[in-house]
Amino acid sequence: MQRAHVHTYPQAYPQSYGDYYNELHQLNSLSQSSNDSVFFDTSMTNAVRYLGDQGSHYASYDIPQQQWSPQAQSSTYQSTPFAQSVFQHVTPSSFYPTPPPPGISTSSSSLASALGPPPKPQQKPPQRPPPKPPKPVYQPSESAEFFDNFLAEQTAKTQRRVTPPQTLRMLQDDSPDPLAFSPVTARTSTATPRKRKAAQVLESPTIKRIHTPSGSLQSSLSTDRHEKTPIAKRKQVFVELPPVPRSIQGMSTPRRDRSSSQTVSRNGIESDSDDLGGYGTDSPTRNRLFDHVKSSGRRATGERDERAPLEKLTTLLEDIFEAEDSLAPDIDTSELPLDFFSPHTTDCSRPLLHSAIVRKLTSHIGKAIRPSKRLRLSSRDGNPNVGGTPRSRGRIADIETNVLSRILRILERSVRVGEDLDPFQTDRIIATPAESSTPSKSKGKRKADRPRSKSKTPKPGEADGDGDANMNDDSIPEGPAIDINLISNTLEIARESILAADCCIALLSSDRLNKQLYSEELITACLATIKNQLMKMIYPFVEASSDIFGHISPILQQLVRIPSPQHEPLRRHLTEIFNAISSVIPRINDLISSDYTAMSESIIIQAVYIAIGPFFMVESGGNSKDKASAVVLSTLSVSAVRGLRLEALSLIRSIFGNHEDQRSWIIEEILSSLIKHSESKQKVGHFRLRDGRSIRTVSALLLQLVQTSAHSVRLEAEDIRRSRTQASTLRREDSFKDASDGPLLDKTDMEEIRLYISGLESATKAAKTIILFLTQRSGKTKTTKNSNEAEYRAIFDNLISDLLTVLFWPEWPAAALLLSIACKFMVASLDDIKTANDNNAAKTMALDHLGVIAARLRSCSVKSASQKPSSNSIRLQPLDEILSGLNLENLGLLASAHQGICSFLTRRSSEDQACASARELSAVVWGQELAFVLKQCGEQLEDADGDRPLSKGDYRQLQSFGARVKQTLRTLWKDSTPDVFDAGSEEEAMKVDRLSEEVGMTQSLKGCFNPVLNVVLSALDAPPVFMRTKALKALGQIVMSDPSILSTHTVRQAIESHLLDSSPAVRDAAVELIGKYMIDTPEVAGDYYPKIADRIADTGLGVRKRVIKLLKSFYSVTEDSNRRIDISTRLVLRMLDEDDTVKDFAVKTVEEMWFHDGNATIATHKGKSPVRPHEKSDLLAKVTVIMGVAANFKDRQSPVEDLLHQIMDGKDANEMSLLHSRYAEICQTLIDGLVDASDLPGFTVHNCVRTIHIFVAAYPAVLSTSNALTLLPYLKNATSPEEQAITDCLLRVYRASIPYLPKTATKFGQELQLALQPMVLKPPSTAGILGLQEIVACMCSVVQHLTHDYGRLTALLKSCNARLQQSLAQPTQKLSAPQIRTLSILIFIAALLCEHCNFDDLRNGPHGADIDAVSPGSVTEHVYGVLLKLYEKYPDKGMRSRVLQCMGFLFRAQPTLLTAEPSTIIMDSILASTDDEARARLLRILQEFLSAEAEKHAAKEKEKSKGRLPAGNVNMEELIGNTDGFAESGISSAIVQRYLDPILSAATSPNHQIQSPAVDVIAYTVRQGLAHPLQLFPVIVALETSPYPPLSARATALHSLLHSKHTSLLNSRFVVSARASFDYQKVLNPPVRGYRMTPAPTALMQQWYSLVREKRAQRQDFLKALVKVFDIELATSSQDDVDFARYMAENFATFDYKTQEEVLTVIKYLTAVLSTTGMQLVGVLSPQHLLAQLHDGNPPPQEGSVSIAAPSEPLQDATSNMSYARSSVIVAIIMILKAFLKTLYGVSEEKCSKFVVGKKSAIGDRPATRRHERPISWERIPFATAHLQTSQDVEVQKQTFLSVWSEDGLSAEPTDD
């Protein structure tokens, strides 16, 4: 859009122009249109120039003009006083106070009009200029003659005075620049004579040129300018000046060296300034080119240079042109004046400017654009003494076009030489070892492949004819040495090219110049040079510090990796190049953003690449310890690189805002470039925010680009505002009618509404481009296929993270826009979650981010709603809600909030340019809302006037509301004038942040939360497991922001249903979600706790562990003791878990919950200080929990006891001591509770004593003597079951603790013995056998360890033996119940005394006589004989069971009795009988015996470990052997081997009473290795399929143990074990089914498969072996074979396959069975069907033809028919199974045929995903579940089989996953 350049004219005129004041005022007050401005400016400039050319003294010399730029002829018209006054008005004092030259009239003095108007001079009539003579045509051959004539004319001219002709012409200067046009006044001296160019091309000298250091530049400028004599200006107003004498010609120039009329030439010869050819003349070129720019007059020595910036610029241009014009045609490069020209010039006919001159030129251009403060102030104040003249208002556009064209062409030479420079040879990469072995070949190849530079780039030191090639290839060696001088010269050339490009762009962007100057080739060359220096020098140098050898050139490696003082010049040049580039980028921005001319697409593209390059420059990260990083940091600081990026950001933002058609590819280019520098490869730059946090630089770039997209809306809004203002002005002038009486919306308002409604289209389009670009390149599957897809996903993740970081910040309004677009895309990708499409990548990303986004929005909403009304924040409402209530107050609050944000951004825009674009986008978003509401108001008002009338009050209210909205919209861009000294306080910034967040919640994201929540809930029902898992995690993130969401019915129902999901991962995610909620809000977690707690027994290992972790956390936050007890009980039960890691985790968790609370230990002894009250309460609460847990286990062997043992295992001495002290604290608290009658919840004597027993069993020394005495009163003959339970617990406590009591506890022992004696003599009826066992055992322990009263025991044994002998002596008769009870008590006491006391060791003591009276031999054997006699004498079952139990006591005391012949006879008869009770009792005796042996073995090992001899000592007992120990050690193994078969048979019994002890025996056998694993394995596999979970878990644990130790052995028993499981299922619950619904179908042998699946080889062997059960004998199939085949098919159909290789292996073997056994069976049952199939469906063959695969003999009997029918059922089962697997896992027949069993393939490694959770169905084969019984059934089965066989292959094939 072209803008008119408005000139500024003075508002007051001097009195000397009073006569023409009206005319001048009329000229000044004329309203100029934008179209007339340029014409007027040009006309005025030409008029001034024509007036100044009146006094020309030179003849006109007609020089041929260029065709493309014709100029008007100069006029000879003598100006009138009015014209002279106009001229004086433009430059009134250009020569003041220069002394007037001789001959000036008094009336022409500059002060002549000070006292009044000057007299009017006599005007001459205007004369028409004569016609232009024809232009002569010169031939090249006339060049010499022309030059001679020219010299003659110049000589003659100096000797005579020439009268100026009346006719003047505009002639072209015949300079080397064809663009140089200028008006001339004389033919003979209008231009500097053309230089004659040499006939041959000048070649660069072969010797190396000497580089002139920059330090000597000033001296050269002051001493080497003597070949030219400056010329004074010849023109003044009102007078016609004669030729200026040479003596005063230098007075008008500011240069001090121009005072002399004669100078010394370069060769030292004194020459006159009027030298031949104009070299050193008074330079008519200067007079001719710059005569319209007036000089400021003479300046005395030491006087301040008062020249205007523009005059300084023109003077410098004069000097440059004179210097170039003065060059001799055959000058050598070594003779070039170094004060103006670069030493790197190669073509002297086209010299390059020196870098200092270019810098000076750039500086003058900048000062001319932006004058210094002194000049601006003087111009404003009108101070004539300080440059208050029009020269301070001069413009670069005032300079002649040919002058600017010429300097641009001169600069272009320097620009061109830098287009292809590559000093570091970045195209060269270090060769690999293979390539480096032949350096000559690789070098030659690179040389041949590298293209030569097309430009005439001057290469320092280049040889004749091959300079480029030498520098590119051979000049820089690959070895350790590099040519520093060569690289330095190249960098100097690069610096000069950048400076020249900077100067060109500065000049082009300085003013509205002639369009001819904006050459696309020149601008393209400048941008190409800048880009080349960035790509080939700056970027490689910066990235070299972070690169690895092999990726950078050898030169850069040495420059960066090997610092050297010789490299300092190179780094200095790089710094200068970098600084020059940093300064040129803002000028590129000014040029491209200007409205002078439209830039082409190629220029825009180049500028974009320059702008985005710095953002992808990989830095080292600022590690100063690294040598390479230190070199880069010392050369280019971190702040300098950051500054370059900021300038580039400004440029790309400007391009993005002004060129809408380029936005899409700019975004794509940025995102594509980001792949190369992703976070996984290099460290991404970060953009620091004002709160100290940071976001990624590219995210900030994208956000600012989106914000820049709204720039055009502001411009159009300004146009609408101006048009409205003009229309309002016209309306006020034309009519006094009140505008408010009209409609609410006029035409301008509707135009404004349309503008704002569509205002966000550009920004939205840019945001969509970003989101779609990233999502479409992130792949289509859940897993990425290549690195690029992963990188794009990472970029998208980082972008979303950064958007959430700056969401609702006032400086980043684009974050909300981008986030809303991303939300819409992600919600749309999850709309149809039940379709199995390929776009899983979008769904994965959506579920990853939607939860975080919704959580952020919800937290903002909750934060806003929870703020109190009295707080500083304002509760704002969305604009649509305000419209529904027509609330003007709320509208005002919302508008003021927006105004506050805009004011904040306006103030900050002076510091941060991004705030300006943020201000624009924020205003457009707010304007769009207002436009929508205003449009609705207008429509409602129109409807009210038409079909839908409103009441008068509503109408006025709506009208006033609409007027308020319209006024707000009109003042949208109105900002208060910012105070530059008010940067805003931190409190104000926080207030604006709160306002921005509240405003943001009322805008685009206000309605995003509910759709996101709904789509996440719908994703919970998606078929893929990963989607359900991610949806739960997303929901968890939302819940964390607002836990009240879980109280909604839909959310709660969705979560609870997924606690029972078929996938363990989904269940785990659901547990995690609710767990966080339970911990954060435990007071409302009661509804979820039971469901979560039940998951502790989940089949998923990860789920169980997560629930344990969750329950531990919940235990610490809940105060409910019952819930704590339940948590602890569930954790204790995990001691029975099948996985050892879960067991260990549960033990560790209970230990931390009970014993690691950090409280101080309780004083358990007197003299210790008491604990604090709160610690006591914590301990009581803990004791309550432990007591409650102990009460939940009624068995004699509590798992809590085992847990306490596990806690102490593996602890060191310190930890053990701490645990013991904690145990003592708890026991002391329990005993204190007994004494004090504690009122703890759930406290009873039984529970307390049972808890004490648990701790005493784990650590017997915990009970002190005093505490034992305290418990003694509770030991008494029980009269109730509760008292008996207390007594039993106390007896076990004493029995365990007595061996650890001190020897001084004799008194306690006596009291305890006295309490036990009556209980032994007369056992309580409630005690039973178990109570009697504990009484006798405790009695023996007290005697042995405390009282040593063995006489009591001996007397008791003697008495029992006498009574038994009497019983044996009595005749055999049926005993009465009292007699049986009495006899039973006697044999129990005798057997228990023998078990717990070794009477044979007491024979040598004082009680030997009494023992001998019982038996002179072994007392134990004597009692054993008595029991055998009683067993034989009394056949009563009850009596025999008691005798057998007493034998078990003796077996534990003396194991050799178990293998005695009488014992084996009794056990064989019992195991062979059908008496289940006797068998169960015997198995229990065996189990107890084996357990006792295991305890003895563990105790011996523990004693050995404590008393282990030092190294080198030998235990002789172990060495020679202990016969007694050896004899007893083999008893267990012998018994197990002898009775293994009956034990295994009992283990699979449906009778739990028999099965339980048998399983215990098997478990002991497996752990002790008493039998071969193959003997036990089938039964263990069978027990795994038990429907009873504890039994199945125990079997699985045993299976895991065998699998870990004997994997190779077990592989040979696959089929046998599978058959054993089938047989066990037949015993349990016929008919057999191979799966169990839990709730999804689960194979009965899944636990087995889970173990073998861990390793591929074992898994494949398992599948291959078990699938062979389908390969049957056709003629011998039984119904059991059919059931077994169906059982195995159902297992195969419900196995949890993880990979497709498993499924394909099964299908492949099933196909093999069908191709052999199936084809054979079809041939037997129906040969015609087989032949038809083999002939591709042709009709059956004729009679007499041979049937392939037909049986050799026909079926003869019904038995054969029945067998083949059963075989057909099995084959049909195989066919149904194969089809089911193909459908369930989406496997086609083609894929099955391509698969090779045993060969690794990509297809096989793919995960196997089920398409549904339905079990296999046998509807098509009725006899798969029913038995074949009749011949009719056989025939029906035959037809069914043939039908299934024929249909195979005809059904639709499943599609491959």
Side-chain angles (χ1 to χ4, degrees), residues 729-750:
T729 302
L730 293 176
R731 189 164 52 249
R732 285 197 304 268
E733 294 177 355
D734 296 342
S735 174
F736 294 99
K737 182 180 179 181
D738 189 3
S740 60
D741 296 339
L744 177 64
L745 303 176
D746 56 15
K747 183 178 179 181
T748 308
D749 293 331
M750 294 304 298

Side-chain angles (χ1 to χ4, degrees), residues 1161-1225:
T1161 57
I1162 301 295
T1164 56
H1165 303 287
K1166 294 181 180 181
K1168 298 290 184 70
S1169 59
V1171 296
R1172 291 182 289 271
H1174 71 88
E1175 295 176 351
K1176 183 69 175 179
S1177 62
D1178 293 342
L1179 181 61
L1180 291 176
K1182 185 190 304 180
V1183 169
T1184 302
V1185 173
I1186 296 175
M1187 191 166 52
V1189 174
N1192 289 330
F1193 299 100
K1194 309 297 183 182
D1195 297 336
R1196 289 175 60 86
Q1197 182 69 22
S1198 173
V1200 180
E1201 180 182 340
D1202 298 335
L1203 182 137
L1204 295 179
H1205 279 290
Q1206 290 288 336
I1207 288 176
M1208 289 193 297
D1209 281 348
K1211 295 290 191 299
D1212 57 21
N1214 294 331
E1215 293 176 337
M1216 192 76 73
S1217 175
L1218 179 61
L1219 282 174
H1220 289 170
S1221 63
R1222 295 299 172 87
Y1223 287 1
E1225 291 174 3

Side-chain angles (χ1 to χ4, degrees), residues 1377-1684:
Q1379 292 176 333
I1380 292 176
R1381 185 176 183 278
T1382 302
L1383 185 59
S1384 299
I1385 291 174
L1386 291 174
I1387 59 176
F1388 274 116
I1389 293 176
L1392 290 170
L1393 287 173
C1394 292
E1395 178 185 4
H1396 298 290
C1397 183
N1398 191 350
F1399 290 97
D1400 293 335
D1401 293 340
L1402 302 176
R1403 288 182 187 273
N1404 298 328
H1407 309 291
D1410 294 336
I1411 296 174
D1412 291 339
V1414 175
S1415 172
S1418 173
V1419 175
T1420 303
E1421 293 180 359
H1422 172 73
V1423 175
Y1424 173 67
V1426 172
L1427 294 178
L1428 288 176
K1429 293 175 182 179
L1430 290 174
Y1431 188 86
E1432 294 294 335
K1433 183 175 182 179
Y1434 301 106
D1436 182 67
K1437 285 186 178 181
M1439 191 62 198
R1440 284 193 169 186
S1441 64
R1442 292 177 178 86
V1443 172
L1444 191 61
Q1445 195 167 358
C1446 291
M1447 287 184 180
F1449 301 154
L1450 298 179
F1451 293 157
R1452 295 200 292 269
Q1454 189 172 339
T1456 55
L1457 296 176
L1458 190 60
T1459 57
E1461 185 176 357
S1463 301
T1464 57
I1465 294 174
I1466 293 175
M1467 289 189 291
D1468 289 344
S1469 62
I1470 292 175
L1471 293 175
S1473 67
T1474 57
D1475 188 356
D1476 292 341
E1477 185 178 354
R1479 291 168 58 200
R1481 186 176 296 108
L1482 179 58
L1483 290 172
R1484 181 61 60 191
I1485 290 172
L1486 293 177
Q1487 185 264 336
E1488 291 174 354
F1489 168 76
L1490 295 175
S1491 298
E1493 288 297 298
E1495 292 176 2
K1496 289 181 183 179
H1497 179 72
K1500 288 182 181 180
E1501 291 296 327
K1502 190 174 182 180
E1503 290 298 328
K1504 286 182 180 180
S1505 63
K1506 288 183 179 180
R1508 184 166 296 166
L1509 296 175
N1513 296 345
V1514 179
N1515 189 344
M1516 296 305 297
E1517 185 178 352
E1518 292 182 358
L1519 185 61
I1520 64 176
N1522 183 354
T1523 56
D1524 294 337
F1526 289 160
E1528 294 179 359
S1529 63
I1531 299 298
S1532 299
S1533 178
I1535 292 299
V1536 170
Q1537 292 293 338
R1538 179 180 180 88
Y1539 301 110
L1540 184 59
D1541 290 339
I1543 292 172
L1544 295 177
S1545 176
T1548 57
S1549 171
N1551 189 344
H1552 180 68
Q1553 188 179 5
I1554 298 176
Q1555 186 183 45
S1556 179
V1559 173
D1560 291 339
V1561 174
I1562 292 176
Y1564 177 82
T1565 303
V1566 170
R1567 291 189 175 92
Q1568 299 297 326
L1570 302 180
H1572 197 283
L1574 294 182
Q1575 294 176 286
L1576 306 173
F1577 186 63
V1579 176
I1580 294 175
V1581 171
L1583 294 176
E1584 274 186 318
T1585 63
S1586 172
Y1588 185 55
L1591 179 59
S1592 176
R1594 293 188 64 187
T1596 301
L1598 296 175
H1599 188 172
S1600 301
L1601 185 61
L1602 289 178
H1603 181 77
S1604 61
K1605 294 182 178 180
H1606 311 288
T1607 304
S1608 57
L1609 290 176
L1610 303 182
N1611 290 348
S1612 60
R1613 304 283 286 180
F1614 284 142
V1615 177
V1616 176
S1617 303
R1619 190 79 185 202
S1621 68
F1622 169 71
D1623 294 337
Y1624 178 57
Q1625 290 299 316
K1626 284 197 304 181
V1627 174
L1628 290 181
N1629 47 358
V1632 179
R1633 193 169 68 174
Y1635 60 89
R1636 190 176 291 117
M1637 299 299 293
T1638 60
T1642 304
L1644 295 183
M1645 294 191 296
Q1646 178 59 42
Q1647 295 292 343
W1648 187 10
Y1649 186 63
S1650 298
L1651 289 174
V1652 300
R1653 189 179 56 195
E1654 294 176 356
K1655 294 184 179 180
R1656 180 174 177 270
Q1658 298 175 8
R1659 180 191 70 206
Q1660 294 299 104
D1661 293 341
F1662 175 84
L1663 294 175
K1664 294 175 186 177
L1666 287 188
V1667 81
K1668 291 179 180 179
V1669 301
F1670 299 112
D1671 196 1
I1672 56 173
E1673 293 291 337
L1674 297 179
T1676 59
S1677 297
S1678 63
Q1679 184 62 42
D1680 195 59
D1681 294 334
V1682 174
D1683 294 340
F1684 181 56

